[in-house]
């Protein structure tokens, strides 16, 4: 299985126009735009999933924990052909499948319903364990969380377990825009490393750096990428 390709012909430079179609959630605009480059690099160059393989057992799984600002996610899904571009203009409407939180039963390609902070990483750990139990060793599990989600204890239980269990197919991207109440000496990556993860910190707008971090080898350990993004984004 190959990674997703832009069958629609839309490119990264088109994402701004796609996001502009979605109105009514301006307070979550920064939450959305801070994820845009990470999402694009994942779906354009890393994830082994396409609209045609979105239900294939061998696909990679992407779980958006940061689901309270899904506009960038919807824009990327539209650019990659998972959902029609025409859906974007109805974002948040009564009859629209594109809600203010993603719904896995309504939006093709969406793996979890999300938005409540602290759920994505525990669900990703469970997904990795479930795939392993089924003998599916190839699919990677990715989750995207916000730095403020690390204020939630559920994430710390999940990352502690994942590190001790050596869940090599588990990957976490943390969008770090200085929103967290708490912090760690040495930065967020040090928290994951202390729990046995492979971890690195990169510029969350630098596509080459993101790709290198996403594809770095991490034998026997789960992998975390901390994507630093200015809070004004």
């Amino acid at each position: 299985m190959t990674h997703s390709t832009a069958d629609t012909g839309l490119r990264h430079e088109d994402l701004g126009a796609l996001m502009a179609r979605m109105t009514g959630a301006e307070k979550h605009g920064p939450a959305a735009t801070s994820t845009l480059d990470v999402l694009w690099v994942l779906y354009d160059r890393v994830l082994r999933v396409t609209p045609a393989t979105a239900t294939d057992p061998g696909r990679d799984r992407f779980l958006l924990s940061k689901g309270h600002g899904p506009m960038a996610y919807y824009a990327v899904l539209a650019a990659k052909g998972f959902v029609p571009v025409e859906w974007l203009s109805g974002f948040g409407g009564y009859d629209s499948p594109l809600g203010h939180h993603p719904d896995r039963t309504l939006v093709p390609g969406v793996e979890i319903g999300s938005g409540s902070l602290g759920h994505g990483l525990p669900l990703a750990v469970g997904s990795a364990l479930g795939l392993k139990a089924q003998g599916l060793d190839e699919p990677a599990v990715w989750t995207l969380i916000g730095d403020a989600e690390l204020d939630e204890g559920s994430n710390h239980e999940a990352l502690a377990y994942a590190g001790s269990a050596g869940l090599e197919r588990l990957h976490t991207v943390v969008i770090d825009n200085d929103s967290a109440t708490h912090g760690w000496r040495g930065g967020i990556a040090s928290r994951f490393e202390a729990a046995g993860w492979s971890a690195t910190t990169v510029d969350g707008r630098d596509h080459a750096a993101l790709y290198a971090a996403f594809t770095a080898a991490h034998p026997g350990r789960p992998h975390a990428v901390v994507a630093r993004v200015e809070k004004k984004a």
Side-chain angles (χ1 to χ4, degrees):
M1 185 183 296
T2 59
H3 63 75
S4 60
T5 55
D7 296 330
T8 63
L10 295 168
R11 299 290 184 265
H12 177 262
E13 53 266 29
D14 299 310
L15 295 178
L18 294 178
M19 288 186 65
R21 290 170 171 256
M22 292 173 278
T23 60
E26 283 73 16
K27 71 175 182 178
H28 285 143
T33 56
S34 65
T35 68
L36 194 60
D37 295 280
V38 164
L39 287 166
W40 179 258
V41 174
L42 281 173
Y43 273 90
D44 191 54
R45 303 174 62 185
V46 178
L47 294 173
R48 298 177 312 114
V49 62
T50 69
T53 62
T55 59
D56 190 308
R59 73 190 183 281
D60 287 348
R61 272 73 166 171
F62 174 77
L63 282 59
L64 180 69
S65 185
K66 195 176 164 67
H68 54 284
M71 293 84 78
Y73 186 36
Y74 293 154
V76 171
L77 289 177
K80 291 301 180 183
F82 288 86
V83 301
V85 171
E86 292 74 22
W87 282 13
L88 301 179
S89 299
F91 167 68
Y94 181 77
D95 295 324
S96 174
L98 303 183
H100 291 279
H101 292 183
D103 186 329
R104 66 176 298 273
T105 68
L106 298 178
V107 187
V110 170
E111 296 282 355
I112 60 170
S114 62
S116 299
L117 301 184
H119 290 178
L121 183 54
L123 288 169
V125 169
S127 297
L129 285 170
L131 291 167
K132 187 175 181 179
Q134 296 175 70
L136 294 171
D137 298 324
E138 289 299 317
V141 178
W142 289 80
T143 186
L144 189 154
I145 69 177
D147 59 335
E149 290 190 75
L150 292 173
D151 291 348
E152 302 288 340
S154 55
N155 275 324
H156 295 279
E157 293 179 1
L159 72 87
Y161 177 82
S164 64
L167 296 180
E168 184 177 342
R169 301 306 291 158
L170 176 64
H171 308 76
T172 297
V173 184
V174 183
I175 301 295
D176 180 11
N177 57 12
D178 296 319
S179 295
T181 303
H182 310 298
W184 297 272
R185 189 182 300 274
I188 290 174
S190 68
R191 175 66 183 89
F192 283 87
E193 290 170 338
W197 290 57
S198 164
T200 187
T201 302
V202 297
D203 181 346
R205 299 295 188 194
D206 185 329
H207 290 199
L210 287 168
Y211 178 73
F214 292 161
T215 56
H218 50 96
R221 296 188 291 170
H223 185 52
V225 176
V226 180
R228 285 282 302 158
V229 178
E230 292 296 326
K231 197 168 185 178
K232 65 181 181 180

